[in-house]
């Protein structure tokens, strides 16, 4: 019965694997620290201007207003995602069976290296040279473009944002708006440099210019690589949710189509997908539906006028099964709408690149440590105010602050926090458990703080404390509440 | 009514105890004005949230169990903080899940723990708000108060009864101020930048004062306003404003 089951899922589904370090070498673990990257972005006027203009949160608010049962749909969607994850092995096997029956070749990538190897093998076997891509964040995880170029293939991103980012030699800074950190002027400069055309600054004209250049690529691409928003188990279909039309071009014009997506993206039925779709686009961009929703079900069949000769789907683990059956499993519900980052006060100020890996914002702060190793993303779960705006807007109700807090606990358990912090907490808790000593300590602190505050009752600098880097500390009143309360009672 | 006083245990919170005792006394004045009998368990220190949010679960558990024991005999527990009351109501059950014998007591505590303005408006039904203020105020919703304790309308309704006070909403009162507990210390630069957006929002209302229900937000916003050179905008805890203790 399990003969065709993906190897990567067997024996792991439902098993509480620990959040140990990754078995594969951490892919592109960030070299500089989160803090230094955030500092750079906070002091980059262009990025700051772009982030100030960024308001997909407003679009979402308008988008959900036309549903009077948005919260009910969220509840239903979370349940659908949980149902998929609870029997992930079975739904994936069903997908493989149905997709194979319709002529799609299904591949299983256990690691990031496997993704690149499989794509290169397909590209060689089908003798393609030029590859066009629509958006795929999973391919960012494996640095697929670099791997393909190293093997001599030409790779062109066709999503407008991805195209801009590729021309700039950068990485996406947002999962659905990859070039959100770029200004119109940045794009104008890039187009002059790469297209060798006169400079344009009108957004419409810039877009038309990109369209003209991309059209050539669509017509000459021999392989199209796409992501996959969902895999539909009952029909073996790949669902793509896009706005620009490049997704359809990429998956129908070239003679080979390769889709890459994570194991968690499987949904049992089309009915399930239709429910989730109502939330996905509204949560992402506020649209009631995207311009294109495509179901790719197998390659070109006899009698079809168009479509690829070969269709491949690469289903990727690369760390995902480690979350199954653990207290992190809820993170796998994610449908990649971006609402959590769009509403995150930290993301809104530092942008996506500061997070250092593929997925920024709150969901990135949960996924990154899980995928590349807790010790390789120490800052991420801590770099959040836990304001829970992300949890409130998440269309599949991922308790993001709770998951970040659990990751913080795992850091403490594994001794990954600085010793000063651990000692400080222990000392503070020891004192706080002993009311007499605590009263004495706070009396001293209140007086010390009061004297540090001086005449204007404000402390301007606390040594070794990040607080006063950007703000003052109002000085304590000088006596504690408990002291004053005892005095009053007397 | 006076012979049926609500017996309230005040959880002062560690920040109020250390930094701004006037908030605690304001809370007592308001609760007494609402006809409550207020006790302040003497051995109280901290709810454990700093440890909980820093990943030191054991330290958080020991402090949480201490709170559970200290307030066992109070009919109600009232906290002048959305954050600390949220810790008790929304997180203690999860935090103390490893102590099944405590479970009933933890649930009983969570069910009778209230944020101050919520308690005043909905349980004690404070009739006459003692505070007076001449000027315009804007109210900042603290994240925990708003999203864990449902505190939104209560402080506004009560502030509306403060004689002479005009409330003017900022554009995004529900937007985080950037405090986040130890986040403000560990990531001071990012935190201050988030606080900037809040300060700008406050400034654009032209209000004389910003009023809020959590001391964490208060220290953060006041500290950032001062660093930005704004010495004009006052920052008050909602308890101080309602109790008329804005001078202390």
């Amino acid at each position: 019965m399990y003969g065709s089951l993906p190897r990567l899922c067997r024996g792991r589904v439902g098993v509480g694997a620990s959040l140990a370090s990754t078995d594969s070498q951490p892919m592109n673990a960030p070299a500089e620290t989160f803090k230094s990257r955030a500092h750079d972005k906070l002091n980059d006027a262009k990025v700051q201007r772009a982030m100030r203009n960024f308001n997909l949160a407003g679009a979402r608010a308008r988008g959900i207003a036309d549903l009077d049962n948005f919260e009910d749909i969220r509840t239903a969607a979370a349940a659908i995602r949980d149902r998929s994850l609870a029997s992930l092995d079975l739904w994936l096997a069903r997908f493989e069976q149905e997709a194979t029956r319709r002529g799609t070749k299904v591949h299983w990538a256990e690691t990031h290296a496997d993704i690149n190897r499989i794509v290169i093998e397909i590209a060689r076997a089908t003798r393609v040279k030029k590859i066009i891509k629509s958006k795929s964040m999973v391919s960012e995880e494996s640095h697929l473009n670099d791997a393909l170029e190293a093997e001599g293939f030409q790779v062109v991103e066709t999503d407008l944002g991805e195209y801009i980012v590729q021309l700039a030699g950068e990485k996406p800074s947002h999962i659905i708006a990859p070039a959100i950190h770029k200004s119109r002027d940045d794009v104008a400069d890039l187009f002059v440099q790469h297209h060798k055309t006169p400079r344009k600054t009108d957004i419409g004209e810039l877009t038309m210019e990109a369209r003209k250049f991309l059209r050539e690529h669509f017509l000459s691409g021999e392989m199209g690589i796409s992501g996959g928003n969902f895999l539909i188990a009952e029909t073996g279909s790949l669902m793509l949710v896009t706005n620009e039309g490049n997704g359809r071009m990429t998956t129908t014009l070239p003679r080979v189509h390769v889709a890459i997506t994570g194991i968690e993206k499987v949904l049992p039925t089309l009915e399930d997908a239709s429910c989730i779709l109502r939330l996905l686009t509204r949560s992402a961009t506020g649209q009631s539906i995207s311009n294109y929703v495509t179901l790719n079900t197998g390659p070109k069949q006899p009698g079809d006028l168009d479509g690829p000769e070969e269709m491949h789907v690469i289903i990727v683990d690369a760390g995902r099964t480690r979350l199954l059956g653990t207290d992190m499993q809820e993170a796998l519900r994610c449908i990649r709408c971006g609402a959590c980052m769009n509403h995150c006060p930290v993301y809104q100020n530092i942008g996506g690149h500061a997070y250092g890996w593929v997925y920024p914002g709150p969901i990135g702060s949960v996924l990154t440590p899980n995928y590349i190793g807790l010790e390789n993303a120490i800052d991420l779960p801590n770099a959040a105010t836990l304001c829970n705006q992300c949890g409130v807007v998440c269309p599949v109700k991922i308790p993001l602050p709770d998951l970040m807090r659990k990751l913080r606990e795992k850091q403490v358990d594994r001794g990954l926090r600085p010793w000063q912090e651990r000692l400080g907490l222990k000392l503070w808790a020891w004192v706080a458990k002993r009311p007499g000593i605590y009263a004495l300590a706070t009396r001293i602190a209140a007086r010390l703080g009061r004297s540090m505050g001086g005449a204007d009752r404000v402390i301007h600098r606390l040594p070794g404390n990040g607080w006063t880097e950007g703000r003052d500390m109002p000085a304590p009143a000088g006596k504690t509440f408990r002291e004053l309360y005892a005095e009053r009672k007397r | 009514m006076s012979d049926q006083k609500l017996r309230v245990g005040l959880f002062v919170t560690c920040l109020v105890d250390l930094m701004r005792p006037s908030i605690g006394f304001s809370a007592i004045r308001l609760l007494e004005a609402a006809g409550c009998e207020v006790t302040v368990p003497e051995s109280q220190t901290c709810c454990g949230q700093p440890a909980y949010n820093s990943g030191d679960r054991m330290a958080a558990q020991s402090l949480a169990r201490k709170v559970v024991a200290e307030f066992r005999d109070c009919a109600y527990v009232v906290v002048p903080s959305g954050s600390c009351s949220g810790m008790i109501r929304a997180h203690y059950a999860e935090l103390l899940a490893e102590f099944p014998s405590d479970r009933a007591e933890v649930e009983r505590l969570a069910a009778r723990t209230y944020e101050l303005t919520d308690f005043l408006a909905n349980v004690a039904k404070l009739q006459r708000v003692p505070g007076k203020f001449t000027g315009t105020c804007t109210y900042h919703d603290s994240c925990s108060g708003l999203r864990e304790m449902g505190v939104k309308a209560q402080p506004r309704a009560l502030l509306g009864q403060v004689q002479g006070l005009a409330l003017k909403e900022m554009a995004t009162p529900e937007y985080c101020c950037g405090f986040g507990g130890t986040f403000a210390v560990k990531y001071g630069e990012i935190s201050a930048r988030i606080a900037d957006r809040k300060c700008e929002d406050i400034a654009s209302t032209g209000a004389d004062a910003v009023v809020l229900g959590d001391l964490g937000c208060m220290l953060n916003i006041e500290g950032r306003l001062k660093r930005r050179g704004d010495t004009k905008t006052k920052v008050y805890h909602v308890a101080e404003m309602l109790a008329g203790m804005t001078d202390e």
Side-chain angles (χ1 to χ4, degrees):
Chain A
M1 177 186 171
Y2 287 88
S4 66
L5 255 193
R7 179 167 56 101
L8 54 103
C9 282
R10 229 178 286 154
R12 302 201 72 166
V13 177
V15 174
S18 71
L19 191 65
S21 55
T22 47
D23 30 33
S24 63
Q25 182 198 344
M27 295 295 292
N28 48 65
E32 333 86 13
T33 66
F34 168 83
K35 269 189 197 175
S36 72
R37 286 191 304 268
H39 172 82
D40 291 347
K41 298 301 172 189
L42 286 171
N43 292 289
D44 183 328
K46 276 186 176 178
V47 170
Q48 287 302 307
R49 227 180 0 259
M51 294 316 292
R52 284 280 173 145
N53 289 331
F54 169 63
N55 190 14
L56 282 176
R60 173 195 176 271
R62 289 186 294 277
I64 68 165
D66 69 337
L67 292 178
D68 56 10
N69 59 346
F70 188 76
E71 288 306 311
D72 295 337
I73 305 174
R74 278 180 84 215
T75 305
I80 287 170
R81 294 298 294 129
D82 282 348
R83 189 160 73 96
S84 309
L85 295 169
S87 312
L88 193 56
D89 50 351
L90 299 181
W91 297 122
L92 285 170
R94 177 83 192 274
F95 173 82
E96 182 177 40
Q97 193 183 10
E98 296 299 327
T100 306
R101 207 154 64 80
R102 290 164 175 82
T104 300
K105 288 183 184 139
V106 176
H107 309 259
W108 302 95
E110 194 164 355
T111 65
H112 289 126
D114 288 341
I115 302 173
N116 299 352
R117 177 184 52 76
I118 293 166
V119 175
I120 290 166
E121 280 170 10
I122 298 169
R124 285 201 184 123
T126 53
R127 297 175 189 282
V128 307
K129 287 196 174 65
K130 179 165 182 175
I131 298 170
I132 58 172
K133 282 181 77 197
S134 71
K135 260 191 80 56
S136 159
M137 292 310 288
V138 180
S139 75
E140 296 289 339
E141 291 181 34
S142 71
H143 281 209
L144 177 63
N145 291 6
D146 294 344
L148 288 171
E149 281 165 2
E151 293 294 321
F153 299 100
Q154 184 192 356
V155 186
V156 181
E157 294 283 353
T158 66
D159 172 276
L160 182 54
E162 291 282 353
Y163 179 66
I164 291 165
V165 165
Q166 188 185 28
L167 291 183
E170 296 175 2
K171 298 282 173 200
S173 68
H174 187 286
I175 61 170
I176 67 160
I180 199 70
H181 59 287
K182 290 254 176 263
S183 69
R184 173 203 323 216
D185 281 338
D186 294 336
V187 176
D189 293 342
L190 278 170
F191 282 8
V192 170
Q193 186 191 340
H194 292 273
H195 294 163
K196 318 283 181 211
T197 50
R199 194 170 195 278
K200 303 175 181 66
T201 48
D202 177 76
I203 289 175
E205 286 179 25
L206 285 165
T207 311
M208 285 309 287
E209 180 172 317
R211 185 176 189 267
K212 180 170 151 263
F213 278 80
L214 284 171
R215 190 54 53 113
E216 295 302 316
H217 294 305
F218 287 128
L219 294 171
S220 55
E222 297 158 296
M223 172 188 278
I225 295 177
S226 73
N229 291 85
F230 302 107
L231 301 172
I232 314 296
E234 68 172 349
T235 59
S237 307
L238 172 82
M239 180 179 263
L240 285 179
V241 182
T242 68
N243 270 324
E244 294 172 16
N246 67 307
R248 281 197 183 168
M249 299 278 215
T250 303
T251 57
T252 53
L253 287 176
R255 55 188 167 82
V256 183
H257 170 208
V258 179
I260 305 169
T261 197
I263 54 167
E264 80 281 17
K265 292 300 192 70
V266 71
L267 290 174
T269 66
L270 281 170
E271 189 71 31
D272 294 330
S274 74
C275 171
I276 292 205
L277 198 54
R278 299 181 77 194
L279 298 178
L280 173 57
T281 55
R282 284 185 173 89
S283 300
T285 56
Q287 292 168 286
S288 54
I289 193 161
S290 55
N291 294 342
Y292 299 92
V293 176
T294 310
L295 283 162
N296 295 72
T297 312
K300 186 174 174 177
Q301 305 293 322
D304 283 356
L305 292 176
D306 48 28
E309 292 160 21
E310 290 186 19
M311 178 172 170
H312 301 260
V313 176
I314 303 174
I315 306 179
V316 178
D317 179 356
R320 286 157 175 79
T321 46
R322 275 200 300 275
L323 280 68
L324 285 172
T326 73
D327 55 2
M328 292 286 133
Q329 179 168 311
E330 286 156 315
L332 293 177
R333 286 183 194 156
C334 179
I335 56 173
R336 301 291 190 270
C337 68
C340 59
M341 55 201 79
N342 298 344
H343 290 79
C344 175
V346 175
Y347 178 92
Q348 286 170 354
N349 278 282
I350 64 175
H353 285 153
Y355 290 79
W357 203 59
V358 181
Y359 305 103
I363 189 65
S365 295
V366 172
L367 290 181
T368 304
N370 277 294
Y371 287 178
I372 72 171
L374 195 57
E375 67 282 5
N376 295 313
I378 288 292
D379 281 296
L380 297 189
N382 296 289
T385 65
L386 304 181
C387 75
N388 195 29
Q389 187 58 39
C390 53
V392 168
V393 298
C394 175
V396 287
K397 294 190 169 182
I398 302 171
L400 289 155
D402 291 343
L403 297 182
M404 284 186 251
R405 194 182 293 106
K406 284 175 187 168
L407 287 167
R408 296 177 186 187
E409 287 181 359
K410 290 174 203 294
Q411 289 187 349
V412 169
D413 290 347
R414 284 184 47 196
L416 293 169
R417 300 303 308 165
W419 68 266
Q420 298 94 330
E421 182 184 318
R422 282 185 284 160
L423 183 68
L425 272 170
K426 287 270 172 278
L427 199 63
W428 166 81
W430 189 89
V431 173
K433 266 182 283 183
R434 289 162 179 80
I437 301 172
Y438 186 83
L440 181 67
T442 49
R443 277 174 192 221
I444 296 168
R447 281 162 179 78
L448 190 67
R450 175 73 187 86
S451 70
M452 284 171 78
D456 58 352
R457 297 195 163 203
V458 168
I459 301 167
H460 300 288
R461 201 173 157 272
L462 287 165
N465 189 318
W467 180 282
T468 47
E469 280 169 24
R471 81 214 100 178
D472 296 332
M473 174 64 88
K479 281 188 175 179
T480 66
F481 173 87
R482 296 202 305 177
E483 269 184 280
L484 295 166
Y485 186 72
E487 284 172 18
R488 275 194 197 193
K489 270 173 73 173
R490 250 185 267 128
Chain B
M1 179 172 163
S2 59
D3 38 323
Q4 280 198 332
K5 282 189 170 183
L6 300 174
R7 285 184 306 107
V8 170
L10 180 69
F11 185 60
V12 181
T13 79
C14 60
L15 277 180
V16 166
D17 178 53
L18 175 67
M19 302 298 291
R20 203 134 159 173
S22 61
I23 297 168
F25 291 109
S26 300
I28 292 174
R29 183 179 287 181
L30 290 165
L31 288 166
E32 288 177 349
C36 304
E37 184 190 318
V38 183
T39 59
V40 186
E42 272 181 34
S43 61
Q44 61 176 292
T45 55
C46 172
C47 68
Q49 188 178 185
Y52 185 52
N53 285 348
S54 299
D56 193 339
R57 192 173 173 86
M58 268 169 56
Q61 282 170 338
S62 62
L63 289 169
R65 297 185 83 193
K66 180 170 165 296
V67 172
V68 173
E70 283 161 347
F71 287 87
R72 202 179 294 264
D73 297 329
C74 304
Y76 295 95
V77 179
V78 175
V79 192
S81 158
S83 175
C84 311
S85 57
M87 177 70 193
I88 296 171
R89 202 194 278 177
H91 298 289
Y92 268 16
E94 188 281 326
L95 175 62
L96 296 175
E98 287 103 308
F99 302 90
S101 58
D102 289 2
R103 195 174 143 189
E105 197 54 47
V106 170
E107 284 173 2
R108 205 171 68 82
L109 175 65
R112 59 193 216 283
T113 296
Y114 290 83
E115 185 273 341
L116 176 68
T117 61
D118 185 29
F119 185 81
L120 291 172
N122 294 328
V123 183
K125 304 202 191 297
L126 175 66
Q127 296 301 322
R128 208 166 328 140
V129 174
K132 290 190 182 80
F133 183 79
T134 312
T136 314
C137 289
T138 190
Y139 188 84
H140 161 71
D141 294 291
S142 89
C143 296
S144 311
L146 177 71
R147 288 184 267 275
E148 286 177 352
M149 301 299 284
V151 175
K152 178 77 184 177
Q154 306 90 322
R156 289 173 172 80
L158 293 168
L159 286 169
Q161 296 178 50
V162 172
Q163 201 187 324
L165 184 151
L167 196 63
K168 186 160 185 229
E169 293 288 349
M170 62 183 98
T172 55
E174 298 182 359
Y175 192 80
C176 177
C177 73
F179 173 63
T182 54
F183 171 81
V185 176
K186 289 176 184 165
Y187 303 94
E189 191 181 13
I190 303 171
S191 171
R193 200 60 80 84
I194 299 171
D196 263 342
R197 292 201 183 187
K198 183 57 69 179
C199 293
E200 288 163 21
D201 203 1
I202 293 165
S204 68
T205 64
D208 302 301
V210 55
V211 181
L212 34 68
D214 259 289
L215 191 41
C217 311
M218 187 169 181
L219 296 172
N220 184 39
I221 293 172
E222 189 173 346
R224 186 61 193 156
L225 283 170
K226 290 231 157 83
R227 182 64 63 90
R228 285 162 61 98
D230 181 342
T231 49
K232 181 174 69 48
T233 310
K234 303 277 186 239
V235 187
Y236 296 116
H237 191 282
V238 65
E240 296 173 311
M241 185 59 86
L242 295 175
M245 294 172 74
T246 49
D247 302 329
E248 293 174 42

